[in-house]
Amino acid sequence: IGVFMALLQGNMKRMLAYHSVSQMGYIIMGIGVAGYLGYQGAMGFVGSVFHMVNHAFFKVLLFMVAGVVYMRTKESNMYELGGLWRKMPITAILCLIAVLGITGMPGFNGFASKSVLHHAIIEAYEYGHYSYKYAELFFKLVSAGTVCSFIKFFSFIFLGECPDKYRDIKGDFPRMSVAMAILAGFIIFIGLFPSILMENLLAPAAVAFQYDLSFINKY
């Protein structure tokens, strides 16, 4: 529901808010798998915690991008914007990194946590009931909807022709760009080296929650 409502929005902040609902759906799904499979539910537990961390990075960055755009243009309706990459190239690049993160593209943090969550929902029907196969189809559908809505987000704000009323606006905020670049750095770092977080934080946490040790060591 969150992702389909997001697809209907023209307001940047409202769209991102609906995507927070959608991303919480991924997290709750992982918690549900963890509860359903019991001692074999480590994959759902790890995927949920991992995605909580990742969501914090790319969603904060996306809201900061929306804030920068609004402060420069005084406009929150995506349909009234366009071509801002020429005026705000650093913001556009950092936005693209966040978009690649939330859509789960390889090499970015969302790919790592969504991959674990996808394995978790597969385990739900392999170790549980086959009807959970349909939950995996919903997972794929929501993922596709996320890609579509953020193609819309990035293209309506930064691509195309810049309206005349924004041709003389100021560009990037240097200090905000530094803060956003730090978040973007975490998105890329976790995407390239997910095992650091997995081995040093998430797997030990799963062991502490008494999930099956042999299962954790294998996967």
Side-chain angles (χ1 to χ4, degrees), residues 47-60:
S48 291
V49 177
F50 201 0
H51 203 63
M52 288 179 198
V53 174
N54 288 338
H55 178 258
F57 288 123
F58 51 62
K59 186 53 66 65
V60 170

mmCIF file with all atom_site columns, all heavy atoms in Angstrom, residues 47-60:
data_model
loop_
_atom_site.group_PDB
_atom_site.id
_atom_site.type_symbol
_atom_site.label_atom_id
_atom_site.label_alt_id
_atom_site.label_comp_id
_atom_site.label_asym_id
_atom_site.label_entity_id
_atom_site.label_seq_id
_atom_site.pdbx_PDB_ins_code
_atom_site.Cartn_x
_atom_site.Cartn_y
_atom_site.Cartn_z
_atom_site.occupancy
_atom_site.B_iso_or_equiv
_atom_site.pdbx_formal_charge
_atom_site.auth_seq_id
_atom_site.auth_comp_id
_atom_site.auth_asym_id
_atom_site.auth_atom_id
_atom_site.pdbx_PDB_model_num
ATOM 1   N N   . GLY A 1 47 ? 18.042 -9.648 8.416  1.00 0.00 ? 47 GLY A N   1
ATOM 2   C CA  . GLY A 1 47 ? 17.595 -8.786 7.330  1.00 0.00 ? 47 GLY A CA  1
ATOM 3   C C   . GLY A 1 47 ? 16.850 -7.564 7.835  1.00 0.00 ? 47 GLY A C   1
ATOM 4   O O   . GLY A 1 47 ? 17.031 -6.454 7.322  1.00 0.00 ? 47 GLY A O   1
ATOM 5   N N   . SER A 1 48 ? 16.017 -7.736 8.862  1.00 0.00 ? 48 SER A N   1
ATOM 6   C CA  . SER A 1 48 ? 15.258 -6.615 9.414  1.00 0.00 ? 48 SER A CA  1
ATOM 7   C C   . SER A 1 48 ? 16.163 -5.571 10.051 1.00 0.00 ? 48 SER A C   1
ATOM 8   O O   . SER A 1 48 ? 16.037 -4.374 9.780  1.00 0.00 ? 48 SER A O   1
ATOM 9   C CB  . SER A 1 48 ? 14.260 -7.121 10.458 1.00 0.00 ? 48 SER A CB  1
ATOM 10  O OG  . SER A 1 48 ? 13.245 -7.874 9.850  1.00 0.00 ? 48 SER A OG  1
ATOM 11  N N   . VAL A 1 49 ? 17.088 -6.039 10.903 1.00 0.00 ? 49 VAL A N   1
ATOM 12  C CA  . VAL A 1 49 ? 17.989 -5.101 11.569 1.00 0.00 ? 49 VAL A CA  1
ATOM 13  C C   . VAL A 1 49 ? 18.884 -4.406 10.535 1.00 0.00 ? 49 VAL A C   1
ATOM 14  O O   . VAL A 1 49 ? 19.110 -3.191 10.604 1.00 0.00 ? 49 VAL A O   1
ATOM 15  C CB  . VAL A 1 49 ? 18.840 -5.821 12.626 1.00 0.00 ? 49 VAL A CB  1
ATOM 16  C CG1 . VAL A 1 49 ? 19.832 -4.858 13.267 1.00 0.00 ? 49 VAL A CG1 1
ATOM 17  C CG2 . VAL A 1 49 ? 17.952 -6.447 13.686 1.00 0.00 ? 49 VAL A CG2 1
ATOM 18  N N   . PHE A 1 50 ? 19.372 -5.172 9.570  1.00 0.00 ? 50 PHE A N   1
ATOM 19  C CA  . PHE A 1 50 ? 20.224 -4.623 8.510  1.00 0.00 ? 50 PHE A CA  1
ATOM 20  C C   . PHE A 1 50 ? 19.480 -3.543 7.735  1.00 0.00 ? 50 PHE A C   1
ATOM 21  O O   . PHE A 1 50 ? 20.020 -2.468 7.438  1.00 0.00 ? 50 PHE A O   1
ATOM 22  C CB  . PHE A 1 50 ? 20.663 -5.749 7.592  1.00 0.00 ? 50 PHE A CB  1
ATOM 23  C CG  . PHE A 1 50 ? 21.892 -5.462 6.776  1.00 0.00 ? 50 PHE A CG  1
ATOM 24  C CD1 . PHE A 1 50 ? 22.575 -4.256 6.860  1.00 0.00 ? 50 PHE A CD1 1
ATOM 25  C CD2 . PHE A 1 50 ? 22.392 -6.428 5.909  1.00 0.00 ? 50 PHE A CD2 1
ATOM 26  C CE1 . PHE A 1 50 ? 23.710 -4.012 6.101  1.00 0.00 ? 50 PHE A CE1 1
ATOM 27  C CE2 . PHE A 1 50 ? 23.530 -6.188 5.156  1.00 0.00 ? 50 PHE A CE2 1
ATOM 28  C CZ  . PHE A 1 50 ? 24.186 -4.976 5.248  1.00 0.00 ? 50 PHE A CZ  1
ATOM 29  N N   . HIS A 1 51 ? 18.217 -3.801 7.418  1.00 0.00 ? 51 HIS A N   1
ATOM 30  C CA  . HIS A 1 51 ? 17.457 -2.835 6.627  1.00 0.00 ? 51 HIS A CA  1
ATOM 31  C C   . HIS A 1 51 ? 17.092 -1.606 7.452  1.00 0.00 ? 51 HIS A C   1
ATOM 32  O O   . HIS A 1 51 ? 16.969 -0.505 6.896  1.00 0.00 ? 51 HIS A O   1
ATOM 33  C CB  . HIS A 1 51 ? 16.204 -3.487 6.041  1.00 0.00 ? 51 HIS A CB  1
ATOM 34  C CG  . HIS A 1 51 ? 15.682 -2.778 4.837  1.00 0.00 ? 51 HIS A CG  1
ATOM 35  N ND1 . HIS A 1 51 ? 16.396 -2.653 3.667  1.00 0.00 ? 51 HIS A ND1 1
ATOM 36  C CD2 . HIS A 1 51 ? 14.515 -2.099 4.614  1.00 0.00 ? 51 HIS A CD2 1
ATOM 37  C CE1 . HIS A 1 51 ? 15.707 -1.956 2.781  1.00 0.00 ? 51 HIS A CE1 1
ATOM 38  N NE2 . HIS A 1 51 ? 14.562 -1.607 3.336  1.00 0.00 ? 51 HIS A NE2 1
ATOM 39  N N   . MET A 1 52 ? 16.923 -1.763 8.756  1.00 0.00 ? 52 MET A N   1
ATOM 40  C CA  . MET A 1 52 ? 16.709 -0.586 9.609  1.00 0.00 ? 52 MET A CA  1
ATOM 41  C C   . MET A 1 52 ? 17.890 0.370  9.506  1.00 0.00 ? 52 MET A C   1
ATOM 42  O O   . MET A 1 52 ? 17.720 1.586  9.366  1.00 0.00 ? 52 MET A O   1
ATOM 43  C CB  . MET A 1 52 ? 16.530 -1.011 11.069 1.00 0.00 ? 52 MET A CB  1
ATOM 44  C CG  . MET A 1 52 ? 15.227 -1.690 11.394 1.00 0.00 ? 52 MET A CG  1
ATOM 45  S SD  . MET A 1 52 ? 15.201 -2.145 13.152 1.00 0.00 ? 52 MET A SD  1
ATOM 46  C CE  . MET A 1 52 ? 13.886 -3.359 13.161 1.00 0.00 ? 52 MET A CE  1
ATOM 47  N N   . VAL A 1 53 ? 19.095 -0.188 9.582  1.00 0.00 ? 53 VAL A N   1
ATOM 48  C CA  . VAL A 1 53 ? 20.309 0.629  9.486  1.00 0.00 ? 53 VAL A CA  1
ATOM 49  C C   . VAL A 1 53 ? 20.389 1.302  8.120  1.00 0.00 ? 53 VAL A C   1
ATOM 50  O O   . VAL A 1 53 ? 20.609 2.512  8.005  1.00 0.00 ? 53 VAL A O   1
ATOM 51  C CB  . VAL A 1 53 ? 21.559 -0.246 9.738  1.00 0.00 ? 53 VAL A CB  1
ATOM 52  C CG1 . VAL A 1 53 ? 22.838 0.562  9.484  1.00 0.00 ? 53 VAL A CG1 1
ATOM 53  C CG2 . VAL A 1 53 ? 21.551 -0.793 11.157 1.00 0.00 ? 53 VAL A CG2 1
ATOM 54  N N   . ASN A 1 54 ? 20.184 0.519  7.066  1.00 0.00 ? 54 ASN A N   1
ATOM 55  C CA  . ASN A 1 54 ? 20.296 1.055  5.708  1.00 0.00 ? 54 ASN A CA  1
ATOM 56  C C   . ASN A 1 54 ? 19.234 2.103  5.424  1.00 0.00 ? 54 ASN A C   1
ATOM 57  O O   . ASN A 1 54 ? 19.504 3.126  4.777  1.00 0.00 ? 54 ASN A O   1
ATOM 58  C CB  . ASN A 1 54 ? 20.198 -0.085 4.690  1.00 0.00 ? 54 ASN A CB  1
ATOM 59  C CG  . ASN A 1 54 ? 21.444 -0.945 4.678  1.00 0.00 ? 54 ASN A CG  1
ATOM 60  O OD1 . ASN A 1 54 ? 22.521 -0.512 5.090  1.00 0.00 ? 54 ASN A OD1 1
ATOM 61  N ND2 . ASN A 1 54 ? 21.311 -2.171 4.208  1.00 0.00 ? 54 ASN A ND2 1
ATOM 62  N N   . HIS A 1 55 ? 18.018 1.851  5.896  1.00 0.00 ? 55 HIS A N   1
ATOM 63  C CA  . HIS A 1 55 ? 16.937 2.805  5.669  1.00 0.00 ? 55 HIS A CA  1
ATOM 64  C C   . HIS A 1 55 ? 17.259 4.159  6.297  1.00 0.00 ? 55 HIS A C   1
ATOM 65  O O   . HIS A 1 55 ? 16.950 5.214  5.721  1.00 0.00 ? 55 HIS A O   1
ATOM 66  C CB  . HIS A 1 55 ? 15.628 2.259  6.236  1.00 0.00 ? 55 HIS A CB  1
ATOM 67  C CG  . HIS A 1 55 ? 14.474 3.189  6.079  1.00 0.00 ? 55 HIS A CG  1
ATOM 68  N ND1 . HIS A 1 55 ? 13.989 3.955  7.108  1.00 0.00 ? 55 HIS A ND1 1
ATOM 69  C CD2 . HIS A 1 55 ? 13.716 3.498  4.993  1.00 0.00 ? 55 HIS A CD2 1
ATOM 70  C CE1 . HIS A 1 55 ? 12.973 4.695  6.677  1.00 0.00 ? 55 HIS A CE1 1
ATOM 71  N NE2 . HIS A 1 55 ? 12.788 4.432  5.406  1.00 0.00 ? 55 HIS A NE2 1
ATOM 72  N N   . ALA A 1 56 ? 17.896 4.133  7.452  1.00 0.00 ? 56 ALA A N   1
ATOM 73  C CA  . ALA A 1 56 ? 18.265 5.390  8.110  1.00 0.00 ? 56 ALA A CA  1
ATOM 74  C C   . ALA A 1 56 ? 19.171 6.218  7.208  1.00 0.00 ? 56 ALA A C   1
ATOM 75  O O   . ALA A 1 56 ? 18.993 7.437  7.087  1.00 0.00 ? 56 ALA A O   1
ATOM 76  C CB  . ALA A 1 56 ? 18.960 5.096  9.438  1.00 0.00 ? 56 ALA A CB  1
ATOM 77  N N   . PHE A 1 57 ? 20.133 5.588  6.556  1.00 0.00 ? 57 PHE A N   1
ATOM 78  C CA  . PHE A 1 57 ? 21.076 6.327  5.724  1.00 0.00 ? 57 PHE A CA  1
ATOM 79  C C   . PHE A 1 57 ? 20.417 6.890  4.464  1.00 0.00 ? 57 PHE A C   1
ATOM 80  O O   . PHE A 1 57 ? 20.496 8.086  4.184  1.00 0.00 ? 57 PHE A O   1
ATOM 81  C CB  . PHE A 1 57 ? 22.269 5.438  5.347  1.00 0.00 ? 57 PHE A CB  1
ATOM 82  C CG  . PHE A 1 57 ? 23.201 5.174  6.478  1.00 0.00 ? 57 PHE A CG  1
ATOM 83  C CD1 . PHE A 1 57 ? 23.493 3.878  6.873  1.00 0.00 ? 57 PHE A CD1 1
ATOM 84  C CD2 . PHE A 1 57 ? 23.798 6.215  7.174  1.00 0.00 ? 57 PHE A CD2 1
ATOM 85  C CE1 . PHE A 1 57 ? 24.346 3.624  7.931  1.00 0.00 ? 57 PHE A CE1 1
ATOM 86  C CE2 . PHE A 1 57 ? 24.657 5.980  8.237  1.00 0.00 ? 57 PHE A CE2 1
ATOM 87  C CZ  . PHE A 1 57 ? 24.936 4.673  8.621  1.00 0.00 ? 57 PHE A CZ  1
ATOM 88  N N   . PHE A 1 58 ? 19.762 6.022  3.665  1.00 0.00 ? 58 PHE A N   1
ATOM 89  C CA  . PHE A 1 58 ? 19.270 6.554  2.389  1.00 0.00 ? 58 PHE A CA  1
ATOM 90  C C   . PHE A 1 58 ? 18.024 7.404  2.534  1.00 0.00 ? 58 PHE A C   1
ATOM 91  O O   . PHE A 1 58 ? 17.821 8.334  1.766  1.00 0.00 ? 58 PHE A O   1
ATOM 92  C CB  . PHE A 1 58 ? 19.095 5.470  1.307  1.00 0.00 ? 58 PHE A CB  1
ATOM 93  C CG  . PHE A 1 58 ? 18.293 4.244  1.667  1.00 0.00 ? 58 PHE A CG  1
ATOM 94  C CD1 . PHE A 1 58 ? 16.971 4.313  2.018  1.00 0.00 ? 58 PHE A CD1 1
ATOM 95  C CD2 . PHE A 1 58 ? 18.889 2.985  1.573  1.00 0.00 ? 58 PHE A CD2 1
ATOM 96  C CE1 . PHE A 1 58 ? 16.233 3.178  2.297  1.00 0.00 ? 58 PHE A CE1 1
ATOM 97  C CE2 . PHE A 1 58 ? 18.167 1.834  1.852  1.00 0.00 ? 58 PHE A CE2 1
ATOM 98  C CZ  . PHE A 1 58 ? 16.831 1.934  2.218  1.00 0.00 ? 58 PHE A CZ  1
ATOM 99  N N   . LYS A 1 59 ? 17.207 7.165  3.549  1.00 0.00 ? 59 LYS A N   1
ATOM 100 C CA  . LYS A 1 59 ? 16.010 7.983  3.680  1.00 0.00 ? 59 LYS A CA  1
ATOM 101 C C   . LYS A 1 59 ? 16.342 9.369  4.238  1.00 0.00 ? 59 LYS A C   1
ATOM 102 O O   . LYS A 1 59 ? 15.763 10.375 3.804  1.00 0.00 ? 59 LYS A O   1
ATOM 103 C CB  . LYS A 1 59 ? 14.974 7.278  4.555  1.00 0.00 ? 59 LYS A CB  1
ATOM 104 C CG  . LYS A 1 59 ? 13.612 7.996  4.623  1.00 0.00 ? 59 LYS A CG  1
ATOM 105 C CD  . LYS A 1 59 ? 13.026 8.284  3.250  1.00 0.00 ? 59 LYS A CD  1
ATOM 106 C CE  . LYS A 1 59 ? 12.648 7.050  2.466  1.00 0.00 ? 59 LYS A CE  1
ATOM 107 N NZ  . LYS A 1 59 ? 11.564 6.263  3.034  1.00 0.00 ? 59 LYS A NZ  1
ATOM 108 N N   . VAL A 1 60 ? 17.272 9.446  5.189  1.00 0.00 ? 60 VAL A N   1
ATOM 109 C CA  . VAL A 1 60 ? 17.694 10.759 5.678  1.00 0.00 ? 60 VAL A CA  1
ATOM 110 C C   . VAL A 1 60 ? 18.305 11.569 4.544  1.00 0.00 ? 60 VAL A C   1
ATOM 111 O O   . VAL A 1 60 ? 18.020 12.764 4.384  1.00 0.00 ? 60 VAL A O   1
ATOM 112 C CB  . VAL A 1 60 ? 18.701 10.607 6.839  1.00 0.00 ? 60 VAL A CB  1
ATOM 113 C CG1 . VAL A 1 60 ? 19.333 11.952 7.175  1.00 0.00 ? 60 VAL A CG1 1
ATOM 114 C CG2 . VAL A 1 60 ? 18.006 10.048 8.072  1.00 0.00 ? 60 VAL A CG2 1
#
